[in-house]
Amino acid sequence: MQIDVDLGSLGFSDGGHLLVKRALRTAGPGESITVAGTSPELEIDLRAWCRESGHTLRFEPKQPDRPAHAVVTNGGAETDRWSGAQRAGEADAGQPGAVVSHASRHWGLAARSATVEAGSPEFRFNLVDKIEVWSDDAARLYAQAVAAQWDPKTAIPWDTPFDLDDDVEDAVVQIMTYLIENETAALIVPSRFIAQLHPHFREVMQLLAVQAADEARHIEVFTRRGLLKRKQLGRSTSGGQASLKTLVDESEFAIASFLLSVLGEGTFLSLLWFIERYAPDPVTAAVARLAAQDEGRHVAFGIAHLTQHLNNDPSYRPRLADAVQRRHDALQHTAGLNAEVFDALVLIAAGSWQPQDLRKGHQRVMELTREMDEGRQKRLRRLGFDEAEAVELSSLHTRNFM
Amino acid sequence: MATSSALVMGAVAYDPKVVTIWDGFQKYFGARGLAFDYVLFSNYEKQVEAHVLGQIHVAWNSPLAWLEAERVANRLGRRAEAICMRDTDIDLTSVAVVRSESMIRSTGDLKGKTVAVGASDSPQAKLIPLNFLAECGLTPERDFRVLVFDKLVGKHGDHIGGERDAVRALLRGEADAACVLDRNHPAFVREGTIPSGATRILAQTPVFDHCNFTILDDAPGQQIAQFRDLLLSMSYADAEVRPLFDLEGLKRWVPGRTQGYAQLSAALNRFGTIDAFVDNLAPRCK
Ligand SMILES: [Fe+2]
Ligand SMILES: [Fe+2]
């Protein structure tokens, strides 16, 4: 007679249980297998294990034609456990249906395409609908972002000697102070949504995470530049913070993404390139340039997922317009852009205190705000707003830029 | 008898998970038309007393509590019945383990030695193994010293801690053998309490049974029948049931039986473990 599992001298608890489990799985519920072995504790351990696993067990003594052995009958608990299990979508987001339109909260943290046991706990993720969060571009943008990570220590010429007039250094410090609080809002907003996003939308989760990491680095380099020659940073105004608070308080992902990424970071792109162009020193130029490169991706994701959202649900467009209007109304009695920041931008664009230079600096800042406005209009049109709406909404955007 | 219309079960709170388990069962039974409630006791003796006094309808009893209830009931001319149990309550064994390098080769070699056991009221880690050794001809405390590791007395060894301490004493050399439930020996190896290969099984008791749902002869028949039917119909394939089964350690409920308590009963007779309890409780329940 053939013994299904002959453990030889292998102890049941020393790995033998793997062979028994495998044979039982192959046999299936209700089916029996025979187990033999010479380990002195085999009978004891096998009995205890079968009892705990819901299998039945019978010992057969040695006969002339067969060795002493155990007959184990699969009690079916393993099959029962996985009855009603669900496949959490499919791995390859590129395949149709792989990312489902509504992710089950019971899937919890399970990886896409994993088999999830029925009765798994429900997680309180708020963002479970594909339409709200998904972009087919997320995976590509994530890969790009990971490849483009830079090391603040080596990417910026911190040790290049330079010496600025106190006024110009003060202006740079004030600009850095302002940038830091804006970057902090840009870190907090996506981070809050990562925690609410169903991990089924893995590529979006990863992209938001690397975006938050980008912002952490921006905060680092702006702080370091601000403190390069000074012991403390500049001024933070209530108007600036009021503007950012409306972003931090926004509870809807699509709206937050619209206000922050499309309008805010879009506007910031122009600002960072402006700072880079007129930077009075190589460190300021470098930190602005590196941050601007990252911001380009943040804007691209905002546009990509909102475009997809609006293609699926054009009726959402007026809600976005409303959000701009509401934010404008909420901020209309605040001071808008910190006057010190405005003056600092004029001064660095002027490059000196000479009246003719200051006039030029002022013109350049005016050009910057025009350029920002055009950029916003262009992005609004890409999201399907018509010419007039784009002009109107862009004009309502916060005077604080972000 | 409890006056509320719900069927009231008693259970011993040997671990906080007991609340999760019985809340879950309450919900399950309620959804299927059985009003069910439960009362938690800190020890089995209090639960047996409440049961005999009619304060609960059914008791989730340890094997020792079952025999306490049965003996008190018999003394009163009443009858106790085990209606249901876990599949994992059937045919357990306990083992005496020694250090691998030990010279002890048979139970007879334990003469003059020290045997570590679990809680003083643990059927599997003290009463049954000591009775087993007595039947092998070794009287505890006369032929060998007994080192008791009491964890939560009154909980009848439901807490694994006493057995773990007994095994640790063995590994430290304070004892020459330790008595534990069969499944706990490999579990102690897996969790690292016992280094792999450090121990060897010296002896194994015959099979015995563990917990059961106990009723007395005045239990409300229809509700009990419904309770038992619902238990027996619960399936491990049911996602609502499975986590409760995993916590309570079973794959299915099976009809109760009492032949598996003979060894424990013999141990109680030999050691007189519950005589005082029965003598004290029975007259108060007349
Ligand atoms: Fe940034
Ligand atoms: Fe950003």
Side-chain angles (χ1 to χ4, degrees), chain A residues 183 186 211 214-215 218 265 294-295 298 402:
Chain A
E183 295 295 348
Q211 187 167 324
D214 287 343
E215 308 301 9
H218 300 170
E265 290 175 313
D294 292 339
E295 294 307 335
H298 306 174
M402 181 72 98

Side-chain angles (χ1 to χ4, degrees), chain B residues 20-167:
Chain B
T20 311
I21 294 168
W22 295 109
D23 273 354
F25 278 88
Q26 183 183 42
K27 191 166 150 236
Y28 182 90
F29 294 144
R32 286 156 185 80
L34 175 67
F36 173 87
D37 213 335
Y38 66 94
V39 181
L40 294 182
F41 295 90
S42 73
N43 65 84
Y44 279 107
E45 281 65 39
K46 206 70 198 166
Q47 172 165 299
V48 170
E49 181 182 324
H51 198 183
V52 183
L53 290 171
Q55 291 159 2
I56 54 176
H57 299 117
V58 58
W60 180 227
N61 270 339
S62 74
L64 179 57
W66 153 256
L67 288 172
E68 289 171 348
E70 188 190 40
R71 288 183 183 194
V72 172
N74 288 347
R75 189 77 69 84
L76 296 168
R78 296 179 59 188
R79 210 171 48 78
E81 190 187 339
I83 57 167
C84 198
M85 55 213 299
R86 298 172 296 193
D87 55 353
T88 46
D89 287 316
I90 304 281
D91 289 348
L92 283 72
T93 67
S94 287
V95 291
V97 297
V98 295
R99 290 183 299 279
S100 296
E101 77 285 1
S102 165
M103 300 304 284
I104 299 169
R105 295 281 158 201
S106 71
T107 51
D109 296 339
L110 287 173
K111 198 155 180 146
K113 304 288 189 198
T114 298
V115 177
V117 297
S120 54
D121 57 6
S122 170
Q124 64 271 15
K126 177 173 175 256
L127 299 168
I128 289 172
L130 289 188
N131 183 65
F132 169 76
L133 291 176
E135 286 185 354
C136 296
L138 294 164
T139 302
E141 299 296 8
R142 190 192 71 194
D143 296 321
F144 61 93
R145 197 165 76 88
V146 179
L147 198 53
V148 179
F149 287 91
D150 266 326
K151 266 269 155 70
L152 305 176
V153 173
K155 295 185 169 59
H156 297 182
D158 284 356
H159 195 285
I160 196 174
E163 293 178 48
R164 190 179 285 117
D165 289 347
V167 159

Side-chain angles (χ1 to χ4, degrees), chain A residues 22 94 183 190 221 223 278 370 382:
Chain A
R22 184 178 65 166
E183 295 295 348
V221 297
T223 303
Y278 297 110
R370 257 196 311 282
R382 279 191 56 193

Side-chain angles (χ1 to χ4, degrees), chain A residues 13-14 41 43-45 47-49 51-54 56 76-83 117-120, chain B residues 87-93 95 182-183 185-186 196 199-201 204 207 235-237 239 242 246 249 251:
Chain A
S13 300
D14 304 330
E41 293 172 5
E43 241 186 83
I44 295 170
D45 288 348
R47 174 192 293 283
W49 180 80
R51 192 195 317 120
E52 298 313 307
S53 312
T56 51
E78 182 72 4
T79 307
D80 284 348
R81 175 177 294 283
W82 295 104
S83 73
E117 185 184 343
S120 289
Chain B
D87 55 353
T88 46
D89 287 316
I90 304 281
D91 289 348
L92 283 72
T93 67
V95 291
D182 54 12
R183 67 162 177 257
H185 182 237
S196 185
T199 53
R200 145 168 75 78
I201 291 176
Q204 181 184 27
V207 295
S235 165
Y236 194 66
R242 194 163 54 245
D246 284 344
K251 298 288 186 283

Side-chain angles (χ1 to χ4, degrees), chain A residues 156-189:
Chain A
I156 290 154
W158 299 110
D159 298 330
T160 308
F162 65 86
D163 210 11
L164 304 181
D165 284 350
D166 273 355
D167 291 329
V168 177
E169 179 64 24
D170 286 345
V172 170
V173 170
Q174 181 55 52
I175 291 168
M176 293 300 144
T177 307
Y178 161 82
L179 291 176
I180 292 162
E181 63 190 42
N182 282 268
E183 295 295 348
T184 302
L187 184 153
I188 288 173
V189 172

